[in-house]
Amino acid sequence: MVLDNRYGAFIDPELTVESLGSGILDGLTFAVKDVFAVAGHSSSAGNPDWLHSHHPSTEHAVAVHRLLLSGATLRGAAHTDELMYSLGGENHHFGTPINPRAVGRIPGGSSSGSAVAVASGSVDFALGTDTGGSIRVPSSYCGVYGFRPTHGAVDFQGVIPLSPAFDTIGWMSDRLDVLQQVGEVLLVAGSTSVKTAKKIESSIEETVGKSIEKNVLENLENNLEGDMVKTDKNNLEKSQKESLETILEKRIEKSAEKSTDKILEIGPENKVKKNIEDKNTMGTLFVATDCWALVNLENAAILSEGLRCLRSGADHLMEIEIALEGLKVWMDVFRELQGNEIWETHGAWIENEKPVFGPDIAARFSWAASLAEVDHSVAKCKQKEISNQMRLLLGEDNCLVIPTVPGPAPLRGGDLRQLEENRSGAMMLSCIAGLAGLPQVTIPMLSTSGLPLGLSVIAGHGQDLRLLSWVNEVWQLS
């Protein structure tokens, strides 16, 4: 049976693979972004030259195989932006899927087809990839639930990479319980990948103690405007992590002094209403005021209603400014490191094949090529600082609540300048979880005009299943 493709979600609506076993996904159907290996299928990665220069896959991607073994049936390969290097969803070669819940507006990318496949009701859930926001952005624009896991927590074998240091496999659904069930299959079965993620974390912690330059601490001190307890500069190896903890404590203290619960107006922390006494709870919900400042007042008011629901499942709430140096600085660090690695990953193929790209994608790859000879040590140090700050802040029990993107999906057909503005606004929010390798779930809401908005929750490193379970429980009970 061929899928209904009236919204243009699928590049191959005839692709079908029946389930290979039985489990918690029995009876569910799913689509895959056209970057996942499916035996006998040739993935396009959103570009005709890629399609013509690569052979069909000989076996399924690990994630696809695990879903099939758990009872799900694969129905269709979904469109993607060219080589996954966009957040818009407009494809110069294969066309742009129609956003079923915001007609005339972009679906978001690069997992555009996956989001549209779910939003149109064609499948129960869909796999995509998320490097810089490619699950979270289209989920928000199309009004579906989306999940980006801890980096390394789901086996990436059999998936076309973009930037391996940031690539993750994510998924979308119209149902929170299905979002959680897919996580129980991919995250639990992917225990070897969790070990890989732990190795990455250990490597970062080791680097914090041994190889970050002095100017990182100096920059952090400047961010705190002289309020930081001074570090012994002659003993960086011993004091680096303690310094980060001190900085974090100072940031929380400064934020607590300013916090008036303006976003929620919920009153004192001790007035917490529990839906059920023994409900799974989070410790503190941190509300990132600098992230919420990117959203207009009307949309912030809508999203704050969702924040109230989440608040009922946490012991405390605190407003905090997470990027005193500015979210643009964080975004620029992410873009630099991602762009350099993208060219390392695909530069040789581009130079050999000379593929034809759409104008925006061509400009982006040209910029990535210019990063090849650049010293990225400062950006790498900044990433480590951000990663450790976020992991210390969230630990195992806390969450950060932010808008997924600044607003509803932009109109289709914008010029290059408008496309880049939209992308930058989204990336200032999506880079947070990306830089720190953290899990993030996006929850659909509706603006006063009926357009989809997204509210996101970011949890601590490796807390994927707890986050999915908690959001499922709290949101359904609210």
Side-chain angles (χ1 to χ4, degrees), residues 198-389:
K198 292 292 185 182
K199 289 180 181 178
I200 294 171
E201 181 179 26
S202 298
S203 175
I204 290 175
E205 291 179 351
E206 182 179 357
T207 306
V208 164
K210 294 183 179 179
S211 65
I212 294 183
E213 300 293 335
K214 292 183 179 181
N215 67 348
V216 174
L217 280 176
E218 292 168 359
N219 287 338
L220 290 172
E221 290 174 8
N222 292 335
N223 286 339
L224 286 167
E225 302 172 339
D227 289 338
M228 190 186 91
V229 176
K230 295 297 181 180
T231 306
D232 179 2
K233 299 294 178 56
N234 296 320
N235 194 15
L236 285 175
E237 291 83 359
K238 180 178 179 181
S239 63
Q240 178 70 50
K241 187 172 182 179
E242 287 82 353
S243 298
L244 287 171
E245 290 172 346
T246 301
I247 290 164
L248 187 57
E249 290 171 1
K250 286 287 184 179
R251 288 190 173 187
I252 292 175
E253 288 173 7
K254 287 167 74 71
S255 297
E257 291 170 3
K258 299 176 183 178
S259 178
T260 58
D261 284 338
K262 291 180 181 177
I263 294 175
L264 279 177
E265 298 179 353
I266 58 170
E269 288 181 355
N270 58 1
K271 295 182 180 179
V272 181
K273 292 183 179 180
K274 306 289 187 182
N275 289 310
I276 52 176
E277 289 185 2
D278 59 347
K279 185 179 64 179
N280 176 32
T281 62
M282 288 290 178
T284 298
L285 293 188
F286 289 103
V287 180
T289 54
D290 41 352
C291 296
W292 284 77
L294 297 176
V295 180
N296 68 36
L297 292 178
E298 183 179 340
N299 289 331
I302 296 294
L303 294 176
S304 68
E305 292 297 323
L307 186 49
R308 275 193 186 88
C309 296
L310 298 174
R311 174 70 176 95
S312 69
D315 295 329
H316 308 288
L317 179 141
M318 179 178 290
E319 293 182 359
I320 185 172
E321 184 178 359
I322 61 167
L324 299 186
E325 59 275 79
L327 286 168
K328 185 180 183 303
V329 172
W330 288 27
M331 177 188 71
D332 288 344
V333 168
F334 181 87
R335 276 182 160 175
E336 177 184 339
L337 296 178
Q338 180 203 38
N340 179 62
E341 193 173 44
I342 286 171
W343 190 253
E344 290 179 351
T345 303
H346 293 300
W349 176 79
I350 292 172
E351 290 178 337
N352 289 334
E353 294 293 330
K354 296 179 173 51
V356 175
F357 290 125
D360 58 323
I361 304 299
R364 208 159 291 144
F365 273 113
S366 178
W367 174 78
S370 72
L371 299 173
E373 303 301 324
V374 175
D375 179 3
H376 303 289
S377 59
V378 172
K380 289 178 180 178
C381 287
K382 187 64 180 176
Q383 184 206 356
K384 291 173 184 126
E385 171 205 319
I386 293 167
S387 178
N388 278 275
Q389 173 190 324

Side-chain angles (χ1 to χ4, degrees), residues 132-205:
S134 293
I135 285 285
R136 294 162 285 168
V137 173
S139 293
S140 181
Y141 286 172
C142 291
V144 300
Y145 297 100
F147 183 71
R148 169 233 149 83
T150 293
H151 182 259
V154 178
D155 198 318
F156 208 79
Q157 184 178 341
V159 184
I160 300 170
L162 177 63
S163 176
F166 301 107
D167 289 340
T168 63
I169 290 173
W171 50 96
M172 310 165 181
S173 180
D174 238 359
R175 292 167 44 190
L176 267 175
D177 60 332
V178 172
L179 204 74
Q180 181 179 343
Q181 288 168 354
V182 174
E184 289 171 358
V185 171
L186 295 181
L187 291 161
V188 174
S191 59
T192 56
S193 295
V194 173
K195 292 177 182 177
T196 300
K198 292 292 185 182
K199 289 180 181 178
I200 294 171
E201 181 179 26
S202 298
S203 175
I204 290 175
E205 291 179 351

